Structures are given as structure tokens and as C-alpha cells.
Amino acid sequence: ALWCLMMSVTPTRGCLLDLPWEDILVPHILCHLPLQQLLSLQRVSKSFQSLIQLYLANMRCFDSSQIGPAIPRAAFVNLLKDNEVLQQLALQNCSDWLTDRELLPVIGQNHHLHQIQLKGCAQLSRHALVAISLSCPNLRQLSLAHCEWVDSLSLRSLADHCKALEAVDLTACRQLKDEAICYLVQKCSRLKSLSLAVNANVGDVAVEETAKCCPELEHLDLTGCLRVKNDSIRILAEYCPKLRSLKVKHCHNVAESSLSILRSRGVELDVEPPLQRALVLLQDVVGFAPFINLQI
């Protein structure tokens, strides 16, 4: 079907390749086709191969999920070797093949990146984060979830050079402690979204500093941060008037006494009020919903 489209767009004057490549095909037609299909087109002819290479060199967004998790190393390098205009790079869960050797050249030649997704890329090292810091001054969003190679020194480099950050995901970056998080939020005061979930070393000090340094904060994920307590949640409520959602599930030292302040402001919480939790448990045990006004 794709081949029929290519050959029938201009039936009276020739094939699609007759249209201007840089002015029409690349920005207005190829951008609407799945990347995997575009790569298949390279096998049609040398002309199509040249066209697709031109497209890849001018691509603004690369998402590995459009191709599949098992991209050969050489294929990835070849896909982006001529591209210097990337703005979004998503390489989540590429731990089977992605190392510094493949990533660093791409980062080094793309200084316009504002969104990078590296969730689960376990074979990278702290050098990858340092390279991002030095090459991507306009970075706005960065996901490093489940990247246990992230350490305090590389995070400091990020904070020093990428002060326009608005969203950072540090879920399960287990090397990080309060001090590193404090340094990040002090330098990156524009943060709107921050995840510190599943970090046993993160506690009240980091949460309080985040609250005081990031008045624009809208989303905070503290899931499983066992050292977080009520006092820091109260400070969060005081200093972050724009907060829209807070996740504190499995934070056993956070009680309703601090959450109720946020709940009354309409902040979305991932734990239910004590009364409603009790009613749900009762319903599960007894098998019916008691006739109690839940609006009380």
C-alpha cells in the first residue's frame, strides 16, 4: 500500500520522487510515515535510499520504540550519523545494546536537544550524563529512571549546565542522596515535574529544599521514599502553590495530618483518606458497601 502511494501521487507527471525533496517530501510527507516503513523504503531503489538518508539527517525526533527494542548497534549509529538537528531523543529500555560508545557521538553533534528519554538504559555510564550536560544547554525534559549509574558528580554537572530543566525523572537512581538532589533543585529552579521514587536515600532534606527552590513545581513523585516524613510534606504545601499531584504511596511516615492540607486544595494524591480506605477494606471483607455518607 505504501509503494502504491509513492507511485500514484503524481500519476500524470511521474512518481513521488519528482517532487522537491527538501521543500515537500521531507517536511510534509515523510514525517507522517512510521520510521520502520521509511527504513524499508531504502531497499526500493538508490533514489529512495538517498531520499531516506536526507530525511534521517533532518529528523527532529527519534524514538527507538518505532523500530523495536532490538536495534543493531551499527544500525543505530548509521541512522543518526549525519543528524545535527535532533530535538527529541527517546531510547527507553535499550539496555541490551546501548552503551556510551553509541550514544556519545549522537549527543555530541546535537546541541538542540530539549527532550531526552533514557529510561532503563542500564549499560550507560556517568559519562553519558556529563556529555548531555555539556552538549545540551537547552534541555527541558530528561528521564533517567532505573539508571543506577547516575551519581552525585554527574548530576551536579547536569545542574550546572542545564538550568532550564522543567522535568526530571530520577526514579530508582539509587546512588543519589539528599545532597545531590538539593544541588539539582538549587540550580534548576524552573522544575515543574520531579520524580525521586524508589530512592531509599532521599528524605526530608531533599523534599524541603525542592519545595523552597522550585515554586513552579506541579508534580512530585516520592513513591517508596521511606525517609520522607510529615514535616517536609507540610513545607511542600506551604511553598508550592501550583502543586497538582503528589505520589507518596509506601511512604509509611507520611500521615493524613500533613496530606489533608494538600487534599483540601484539590491536589491529586495516590493514597485515599483514612475513612475511605477503611470503607474499601470493609467492603472487601463483608461484601457490601455500608450506608455511610462518603462526603462527610
Side-chain angles (χ1 to χ4, degrees):
L2 181 60
W3 170 250
C4 292
L5 171 64
M6 291 296 184
M7 301 306 295
S8 63
V9 173
T10 54
T12 60
R13 298 186 181 181
C15 72
L16 190 68
L17 293 174
D18 293 332
L19 293 173
W21 288 15
E22 295 188 16
D23 296 332
I24 301 296
L25 292 183
V26 169
H28 299 295
I29 296 180
L30 297 187
C31 63
H32 297 292
L33 300 176
L35 182 58
Q36 194 165 18
Q37 291 188 7
L38 290 174
L39 297 179
S40 299
L41 279 174
Q42 293 185 102
R43 299 193 293 268
V44 173
S45 67
K46 290 185 178 180
S47 295
F48 271 112
Q49 183 179 21
S50 298
L51 173 61
I52 300 307
Q53 288 177 347
L54 177 65
Y55 172 81
L56 293 173
N58 289 276
M59 188 167 48
R60 299 296 197 273
C61 176
F62 179 84
D63 187 343
S64 62
S65 66
Q66 295 184 9
I67 304 175
I71 308 173
R73 285 186 173 93
F76 172 76
V77 172
N78 186 60
L79 284 175
L80 297 178
K81 63 183 176 63
D82 298 321
N83 193 305
E84 299 180 358
V85 295
L86 273 180
Q87 296 180 2
Q88 300 178 37
L89 179 63
L91 299 171
Q92 60 270 27
N93 299 316
C94 295
S95 59
D96 291 340
W97 59 271
L98 185 67
T99 68
D100 290 355
R101 183 176 181 179
E102 292 79 40
L103 180 64
L104 264 58
V106 175
I107 297 297
Q109 67 192 31
N110 282 281
H111 304 293
H112 304 289
L113 281 163
H114 60 75
Q115 182 175 335
I116 299 177
Q117 164 69 265
L118 296 175
K119 179 182 178 181
C121 294
Q123 293 193 50
L124 297 175
S125 77
R126 61 183 303 273
H127 300 295
L129 187 52
V130 173
I132 290 172
S133 306
L134 298 177
S135 298
C136 308
N138 300 314
L139 195 63
R140 298 288 190 276
Q141 300 180 34
L142 176 64
S143 175
L144 299 168
H146 302 281
C147 293
E148 297 194 18
W149 45 265
V150 177
D151 60 10
S152 59
L153 289 177
S154 57
L155 193 68
R156 278 176 170 265
S157 178
L158 179 73
D160 285 335
H161 297 94
C162 300
K163 298 180 181 180
L165 279 167
E166 296 179 355
V168 180
D169 188 346
L170 298 173
T171 299
C173 293
R174 302 179 193 275
Q175 291 193 56
L176 300 179
K177 299 181 179 180
D178 282 347
E179 182 182 3
I181 303 303
C182 289
Y183 193 88
L184 173 69
V185 298
Q186 288 166 3
K187 296 287 186 176
C188 302
S189 58
R190 301 182 190 178
L191 280 176
K192 296 181 179 180
S193 177
L194 177 64
S195 176
L196 303 174
V198 202
N199 284 313
N201 295 318
V202 171
D204 284 341
V205 173
V207 176
E208 291 176 12
E209 194 68 15
T210 299
K212 294 175 181 178
C213 294
C214 303
E216 301 297 317
L217 192 67
E218 297 178 2
H219 307 283
L220 180 62
D221 189 347
L222 300 173
T223 304
C225 293
L226 302 179
R227 295 176 58 222
V228 173
K229 301 181 180 66
N230 283 324
D231 289 344
S232 62
I233 300 302
R234 293 191 183 96
I235 291 177
L236 188 69
E238 179 181 355
Y239 283 87
C240 297
K242 297 184 179 180
L243 193 67
R244 295 168 52 192
S245 70
L246 173 66
K247 295 183 178 181
V248 289
K249 188 173 288 186
H250 307 303
C251 295
H252 304 304
N253 294 313
V254 175
E256 184 63 22
S257 58
S258 60
L259 294 177
S260 60
I261 305 171
L262 295 169
R263 204 184 298 278
S264 65
R265 282 172 27 191
V267 175
E268 180 183 346
L269 302 173
D270 63 343
V271 293
E272 298 172 337
L275 174 61
Q276 188 166 346
R277 268 205 311 274
L279 292 177
V280 170
L281 290 174
L282 180 62
Q283 181 177 354
D284 290 340
V285 173
V286 180
F288 67 94
F291 296 98
I292 299 178
N293 185 357
L294 297 182
Q295 301 301 318
I296 296 177

